[in-house]
Amino acid sequence: MQKRLAALAFSGGLDTSYCVPRLAEQGWTVHTVHVNTGGASDGERAAIRRQAAAVGAAEHHEVDARTEVFTRFVRWLIQGNVLRGEVYPLSVAAERTQQAISVIEVARAIGAAAVAHGSTGAGNDLIRFDIALRVLAPELAIVTPIRDEALTRDRAIAYLESHGLPVPAKAGAYSINAGLWGTTWGGGWTHDTWAGPPAELLDPPADAPAPADLVIGWERGVPVSLDGAALAGPELIARLGELSSRYGLGRNIHVGETALGIKGRIGFEAGAALLLISAHRELEKVALTKWQIFWKDQLGRFYGDRLHEGHYFDPALRDIEALIASSQQRVTGETRVHVAPGRFMVTGARSPFSMMDRSVATYGEENRLWTGEEARAFARIGAIPELLAARAGASAAGGSGPSPLTVDR
């Protein structure tokens, strides 16, 4: 009897290493699929290939999806200034849906009957994978040994050891995800909200370079150059990521809501993401109006929440992308960022569309487009709503009502 064929999303870590022999025991011929979303060196990808073969994969496939991750997800996260809980740049969410899309493409190409993944039953990834699979490939079965067996890391390690199969390095410590948009750590100390991170996240490297200035070029809200050298999005982010790591930038901890409604805590290092979002926001401040920024920020936050929770295919996100794209037509120019061990600062932004026009006025000093008397009248009219509210309160209280500064407890 011919075995059924399954395409397994494969990271080379503990959970997916367990899935290969376990699925084989259940009658599947397993093809592993590693989707490169950035963050892995040539040597690390070679190690993933060796691990797939060692645990029994019938065939291993590699997909380079870095460009897709940037164009489909990351550029909107930059243009929308998206930070979960005002802290975390959605490092993993920017990759998981693309990984699911790429695995589906391989599954169809090889004639698989199912897609398998190594997600647990208590995280965001199971939602991201499953939604993508149900929307894009309802004909494929979804097979999830880790989730179905409620498997712990200790049991997975014991299983591999008992079968004489290699256990991935650091399998018992953390779950680590490295990608184009940053690296996250889960497990261990992250489960205790009072526990601090290890030194590798807490302190900048002792051999960090001397402080320096970087200049990032932008076209319509997309980073296109670094220090005058034109670069494609994935390459620019990779270079910034390497530089940020040397300075120890972008390290933090995030606690937030998960797609399942429970709280989750992670450590992360995402220097390129945080640096680009900060620089982009400063460029927007000189090129956009107050209300453009206000409404884009509201929708950008909603966009990030839906993406984080696996709902990339919600049509509302395409509508928000259209508004974001419209808002970015004038977000072109350059930003200067000062980097130093453990910190960075956006020290300059310039644009041909800058709305800081000294021919009109200089903030706090002089005005040329209006007179002092007109400014007085503007302030007088601006006070009308508060003045009327204060008078109405006093009138209702018989003339002895509370001061407008009184807070009703």
Side-chain angles (χ1 to χ4, degrees):
M1 179 179 177
Q2 186 176 11
K3 286 189 174 182
R4 299 166 295 170
L5 190 62
L8 168 67
F10 190 76
S11 68
L14 176 62
D15 291 336
T16 55
S17 292
Y18 170 88
C19 287
V20 176
R22 189 73 181 105
L23 289 170
E25 289 179 345
Q26 297 171 357
W28 294 96
T29 296
V30 182
H31 283 225
T32 49
V33 185
H34 176 69
V35 182
N36 178 13
T37 56
S41 66
D42 292 343
E44 289 167 332
R45 291 195 300 276
I48 291 170
R49 289 194 295 272
R50 291 193 297 270
Q51 181 70 7
V55 294
E59 190 172 339
H60 183 70
H61 306 261
E62 290 188 16
V63 179
D64 186 346
R66 289 172 294 179
T67 297
E68 286 78 4
V69 168
F70 180 82
T71 57
R72 183 174 275 145
F73 303 100
V74 167
R75 71 176 177 124
W76 300 116
L77 298 178
I78 296 172
Q79 292 176 324
N81 302 319
V82 176
L83 294 174
R84 181 85 165 177
E86 316 305 324
V87 173
Y88 171 57
L90 304 192
S91 300
V92 179
E95 304 163 13
R96 285 294 185 259
T97 300
Q98 180 58 50
Q99 288 170 335
I101 292 169
S102 296
V103 172
I104 289 169
E105 292 170 350
V106 172
R108 285 177 170 157
I110 64 177
V115 166
H117 60 81
S119 301
T120 71
N124 290 317
D125 285 346
L126 73 99
I127 305 298
R128 295 164 182 154
F129 273 115
D130 281 20
I131 288 179
L133 289 163
R134 294 191 182 282
V135 171
L136 299 181
E139 78 280 7
L140 296 176
I142 303 173
V143 185
T144 55
I146 303 295
R147 177 172 67 189
D148 297 343
E149 299 171 16
L151 197 73
T152 63
R153 297 179 71 81
D154 289 342
R155 285 173 54 202
I157 292 171
Y159 174 89
L160 291 176
E161 290 177 339
S162 69
H163 287 70
L165 300 173
V167 176
K170 299 183 179 180
Y174 308 117
S175 174
I176 300 174
N177 184 87
L180 183 70
W181 206 225
T183 299
T184 61
W185 286 263
W189 63 272
T190 66
H191 295 315
D192 178 356
T193 58
W194 190 246
E200 61 187 293
L201 274 179
L202 195 59
D203 302 317
D207 60 348
D213 286 338
L214 309 174
V215 176
I216 302 167
W218 301 83
E219 290 184 8
R220 296 184 175 227
V222 175
V224 295
S225 68
L226 181 60
D227 288 337
L231 296 170
E235 185 180 359
L236 188 150
I237 291 171
R239 289 199 187 181
L240 273 180
E242 293 169 3
L243 183 67
S244 296
S245 182
R246 292 172 60 200
Y247 280 99
L249 305 178
R251 298 171 173 180
N252 211 334
I253 300 168
H254 169 61
V255 177
E257 309 293 336
T258 70
L260 296 170
I262 62 174
K263 297 284 187 180
R265 185 179 189 235
I266 58 168
F268 66 89
E269 180 174 359
L274 294 180
L275 192 152
L276 285 170
I277 288 173
S278 295
H280 174 264
R281 184 180 291 278
E282 291 305 306
L283 186 60
E284 281 191 326
K285 289 177 182 178
V286 303
L288 299 185
T289 68
K290 173 175 69 174
W291 295 114
Q292 281 180 296
I293 292 172
F294 175 86
W295 286 113
K296 189 180 69 66
D297 281 351
Q298 312 311 306
L299 293 174
R301 181 166 186 167
F302 174 84
Y303 184 97
D305 286 348
R306 296 299 283 168
L307 176 62
H308 182 77
E309 296 176 6
H311 294 282
Y312 170 75
F313 302 100
D314 186 334
L317 270 60
R318 307 292 82 74
D319 297 334
I320 294 172
E321 288 167 357
L323 180 139
I324 290 176
S326 175
S327 76
Q328 299 299 291
Q329 293 180 61
R330 293 186 175 185
V331 186
T332 293
E334 291 181 318
T335 49
R336 185 180 61 248
V337 183
H338 183 75
V339 293
R343 61 185 178 87
F344 70 87
M345 178 186 296
V346 183
T347 60
R350 60 186 179 187
S351 169
F353 301 105
S354 174
M355 296 175 67
M356 286 192 67
D357 188 347
R358 296 183 66 181
S359 68
V360 171
T362 303
Y363 175 66
E365 295 185 13
E366 57 182 330
N367 47 281
R368 299 182 180 87
L369 195 62
W370 61 86
T371 67
E373 188 56 38
E374 288 170 333
R376 185 196 305 275
F378 178 83
R380 183 180 181 87
I381 293 172
I384 288 175
E386 290 95 329
L387 175 65
L388 294 177
R391 286 185 174 181
S395 176
S400 60
S403 161
L405 298 181
T406 300
V407 178
D408 184 2
R409 300 292 183 183

